[in-house]
Amino acid sequence: MPSTRRPKPSPPAPELHLATVMRALGDPARLEIVRLLADGVLRSTGQVAEHVGLPSSTCSYHLKQLLAAGVNECQAEGTNRYPVLRREALDRRFPGLINAVLADCPAHATEA
């Protein structure tokens, strides 16, 4: 018997407001997460946590804060979920913001 369950649609991304985005980016850990997500490589929350040197639970909290601010979104692939930077939406709404975030990091200074 075929399953009648349908995949749950992703909630729409929140509208981007400058104060909300800046508040989310005001934390050094969240800045580091955004810098990591900017490379476009899909990573699980655990992999993001490992890269930025945070416990998984703390990283998950910061990713939820970024999600609530509209900075990232959740990309589903099968049963896996990956945090993804909303780069195009951020660049369209706040031109140069992500480049400024990346330019402030020595590892990304040549990419900006």
Side-chain angles (χ1 to χ4, degrees):
M1 179 171 167
S3 174
T4 57
R5 290 182 62 180
R6 294 186 178 181
K8 197 171 167 181
S10 298
E15 190 174 331
L16 293 168
H17 297 284
L18 183 60
T20 305
V21 169
M22 297 305 286
R23 198 170 21 257
L25 295 177
D27 183 278
R30 290 193 284 268
L31 270 177
E32 194 58 35
I33 291 169
V34 168
R35 289 178 182 130
L36 180 65
L37 296 179
D39 69 8
V41 175
L42 291 181
R43 295 178 181 92
S44 67
T45 300
Q47 291 168 324
V48 172
E50 185 178 315
H51 277 276
V52 297
L54 292 172
S56 289
S57 60
T58 303
C59 185
S60 180
Y61 166 79
H62 287 300
L63 284 166
K64 285 179 185 177
Q65 297 299 308
L66 291 167
L67 182 69
V71 174
N72 70 324
E73 60 190 357
C74 186
Q75 181 175 326
E77 285 198 7
T79 59
N80 298 317
R81 304 288 180 265
Y82 302 98
V84 178
L85 185 65
R86 292 182 61 208
R87 179 77 184 250
E88 288 180 22
L90 289 161
D91 284 343
R92 198 171 36 253
R93 180 76 170 95
F94 310 113
L97 176 65
I98 297 302
N99 286 341
V101 167
L102 295 176
D104 190 43
C105 177
H108 295 283
T110 57
E111 295 175 17

